[in-house]
Amino acid sequence: SQQGEEDPQALSIQEGENATMNCSYKTSINNLQWYRQNSGRGLVHLILIRSNEREKHSGRLRVTLDTSKKSSSLLITASRAADTASYFCATAHSGNTPLVFGKGTRLSVIA
Amino acid sequence: EAQVTQNPRYLITVTGKKLTVTCSQNMNHEYMSWYRQDPGLGLRQIYYSMNVEVTDKGDVPEGYKVSRKEKRNFPLILESPSPNQTSLYFCASSSLGTLKSPLHFGNGTRLTVT
């Protein structure tokens, strides 16, 4: 399976702390995307990083990609209670194959 | 407002009673897809469509049908629902296929089959 694997499965932190989530995958990618899902709602796209990029920023989000290790990390700095959600990585592979989603990391930010 | 709209939001039905979950997007996207989400299994793709009249099976197509007669609509059909199809379903779309564009998701349809 090409499915990405997020780590950890669940993470609980205090408001103001940084949260780091990791994603590993098995086969080469065209790009990797991170999504957020609030409880029971649709996923929302956060950031896309291409295979030739190593780092990308968007507001309080920082994504890194290490293609040699087939892994990516999502860092949320200065977390807020509103960041409580599940976070998924999704990998895009060659050709017209669809995105493959991991099982997600459940983040709880405690005020 | 750009959006993907699914209906209904919640649906309870009985085994064997045909149902359709509708999905519509107003962004003129070529690509549309259906996923189901189950605890511990993450998101699994059911069917996808690269354009009108073009559909392909995803990872878990058994028990489902789709059609893409118009660009904006991509209904999911369960001809004879069974309890193992109880799940949270999401429709998603993107403009240039998944290699280039992020997916826009609907708000989900929670289906219970008794």
Side-chain angles (χ1 to χ4, degrees):
Chain A
S1 167
Q2 296 172 326
Q3 189 176 40
E5 296 268 344
E6 287 94 341
D7 171 60
Q9 290 187 352
L11 179 61
S12 184
I13 60 173
Q14 297 289 325
E15 204 167 30
E17 293 180 338
N18 295 342
T20 300
M21 289 158 268
N22 303 298
C23 171
S24 60
Y25 56 91
K26 295 178 181 175
T27 58
S28 62
I29 59 171
N30 178 283
N31 70 59
L32 186 145
Q33 302 175 26
W34 284 92
Y35 290 78
R36 183 184 74 203
Q37 182 183 32
N38 290 92
S39 181
R41 310 293 289 184
L43 281 72
V44 174
H45 177 260
L46 295 175
I47 200 163
L48 181 154
I49 187 165
R50 293 181 173 78
S51 60
N52 61 354
E53 297 175 311
R54 291 298 165 256
E55 187 170 312
K56 228 172 169 180
H57 297 256
S58 176
R60 293 184 295 112
L61 306 181
R62 173 179 167 245
V63 168
T64 60
L65 178 64
D66 186 335
T67 53
S68 66
K69 294 181 180 177
K70 292 186 171 58
S71 68
S72 173
S73 66
L74 170 67
L75 168 68
I76 304 174
T77 59
S79 63
R80 305 165 182 168
D83 294 328
T84 294
S86 291
Y87 292 82
F88 294 84
C89 69
T91 49
H93 300 269
S94 61
N96 279 328
T97 54
L99 278 179
V100 179
F101 284 85
K103 295 180 181 179
T105 292
R106 194 167 58 254
L107 173 66
S108 298
V109 181
I110 302 163
Chain B
E1 181 189 350
Q3 58 186 3
V4 177
T5 304
Q6 291 178 232
N7 280 298
R9 185 86 171 86
Y10 299 92
L11 180 57
I12 301 173
T13 190
V14 296
T15 299
K17 186 176 181 181
K18 181 179 178 180
L19 67 90
T20 299
V21 184
T22 63
C23 174
S24 179
Q25 49 91 6
N26 63 358
M27 295 167 280
N28 201 36
H29 284 171
E30 287 83 10
Y31 180 90
M32 297 185 76
S33 181
W34 277 102
Y35 293 86
R36 61 178 288 175
Q37 185 176 31
D38 302 286
L41 297 176
L43 273 157
R44 295 180 293 167
Q45 190 173 48
I46 303 171
Y47 269 96
Y48 63 98
S49 169
M50 296 297 288
N51 214 324
V52 175
E53 302 291 0
V54 180
T55 62
D56 278 294
K57 295 178 180 178
D59 297 320
V60 287
E62 295 79 19
Y64 304 95
K65 283 176 57 178
V66 292
S67 68
R68 187 89 183 274
K69 293 184 170 56
E70 307 163 282
K71 200 172 189 179
R72 63 183 294 128
N73 295 324
F74 190 45
L76 179 69
I77 302 155
L78 284 72
E79 295 269 3
S80 183
S82 62
N84 65 12
Q85 292 178 299
T86 292
S87 186
L88 180 57
Y89 291 87
F90 290 102
C91 180
S93 71
S94 72
S95 60
L96 293 173
T98 55
L99 289 185
K100 296 180 181 177
S101 299
L103 287 171
H104 297 255
F105 280 82
N107 275 327
T109 295
R110 188 169 292 280
L111 172 65
T112 302
V113 183
T114 60

